[in-house]
């Protein structure tokens, strides 16, 4: 009896399809990861502009807990926004990358405005916070505000 060639053709097509799927998935992961890192770097430098002094020096050399907390919370918020943008992209890589870029930049801008607004409205000065050697309550409040704004923006994206 001669084997039916049909099952071989189906198996071969599935293998190619699987390889193509994995290749596209790997490309998407690498693309989103690269964009996420770029947005985190942009977020870091925007926070650096809003905080007096060189942020990397405040964290690395001065070991300033207030600058560290504000930066970490700001970058966490950017990460939430990037993750939500990826989640909502629906598998369309180009559109998803563009949406992630736009929403990430909007999230960074919103955080910056919120930090300035807190400084003006509530009277919590980031400039004063980063001059203090010990962790301040105002830094904790602003850090939570960063994460919450990031979460709100992330949910708005979805």
């Amino acid at each position: 009896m001669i084997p039916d060639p049909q099952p071989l053709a189906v198996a071969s097509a599935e293998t190619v399809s699987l390889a193509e799927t994995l290749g596209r998935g790997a490309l998407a992961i690498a693309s989103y990861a690269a964009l996420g890192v770029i947005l985190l770097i942009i977020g870091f430098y925007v926070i650096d502009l809003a905080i007096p002094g060189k942020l990397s020096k405040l964290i690395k050399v001065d070991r300033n807990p207030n600058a560290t907390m504000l930066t970490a919370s700001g970058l966490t918020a950017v990460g939430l926004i990037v993750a939500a943008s990826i989640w909502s992209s629906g598998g369309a890589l180009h559109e998803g990358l563009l949406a992630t870029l736009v929403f990430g930049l909007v999230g960074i801008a919103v955080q910056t405005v919120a930090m300035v607004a807190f400084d003006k409205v509530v009277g919590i000065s980031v400039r004063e916070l980063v001059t203090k050697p010990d962790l301040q309550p105002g830094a904790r409040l602003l850090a939570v505000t960063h994460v919450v704004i990031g979460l709100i923006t992330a949910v708005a994206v979805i």
Side-chain angles (χ1 to χ4, degrees), residues 50 70 109-129 137-150 152:
L70 293 172
V110 168
Q111 290 174 6
T112 305
V113 169
M115 193 162 63
V116 171
F118 260 80
D119 189 4
K120 301 295 182 197
V121 175
V122 181
I124 298 174
S125 172
V126 172
R127 295 184 179 279
E128 287 180 30
L129 287 175
R140 292 181 180 116
L141 176 62
L142 286 178
V144 170
T145 302
H146 279 170
V147 173
V148 170
I149 289 170
I152 290 168

Side-chain angles (χ1 to χ4, degrees), residues 57-68:
K57 179 187 176 293
L58 284 168
I59 294 171
K60 187 176 178 181
V61 176
D62 299 343
R63 302 176 57 87
N64 185 291
N66 299 300
T68 303

